[in-house]
Amino acid sequence: SALVQAAALALAATGRPVALLVAALVLGVGEGPQLTSLFAVRHREAPEHLRGQIFTTGASLKVTAFALGVAVAGPLASWSLPGALLTAAGTAAGAAFVGQSVGRRAGRESI
């Protein structure tokens, strides 16, 4: 999902109207499985008696991270919108790389 979102953000950086529409659709396609997976993992891994607290804390952290991202992206977008979109694409691609690295490490520990 993160790589799909990275590709969509890079496509949006072209600034072409049709590319922007396609990028918006692809971003939505990439977000759906990611959000569903997030909730599934939280539900599976959280102890039942702490589930509400963990979901609430996770949502709070996500909103805080979103606000920090906006604080960085705002000035960057004012300077260069394509630059901001490419930075977002790089961040999404980096998240995919980190996710793969952590997943591989976790897989080795369980063997």
Side-chain angles (χ1 to χ4, degrees), residues 22-37:
V22 171
L25 290 171
V26 172
L27 272 169
V29 167
E31 178 64 22
Q34 192 175 50
L35 187 59
T36 303
S37 298

Side-chain angles (χ1 to χ4, degrees), residues 1 5 30-42 62:
S1 288
Q5 291 174 336
E31 178 64 22
Q34 192 175 50
L35 187 59
T36 303
S37 298
L38 171 71
F39 288 147
V41 169
R42 277 188 195 162
K62 189 172 184 174

Side-chain angles (χ1 to χ4, degrees), residues 5-96:
Q5 291 174 336
L9 289 163
L11 181 62
T14 65
R16 295 188 176 107
V18 173
L20 291 172
L21 289 174
V22 171
L25 290 171
V26 172
L27 272 169
V29 167
E31 178 64 22
Q34 192 175 50
L35 187 59
T36 303
S37 298
L38 171 71
F39 288 147
V41 169
R42 277 188 195 162
H43 183 77
R44 183 185 71 219
E45 298 296 327
E48 189 173 340
H49 68 284
L50 294 175
R51 202 166 283 149
Q53 183 178 1
I54 289 170
F55 268 74
T56 303
T57 302
S60 297
L61 291 171
K62 189 172 184 174
V63 169
T64 301
F66 183 78
L68 291 172
V70 168
V72 171
L76 183 57
S78 294
W79 177 68
S80 170
L81 184 56
L85 289 167
L86 291 173
T87 300
T91 301

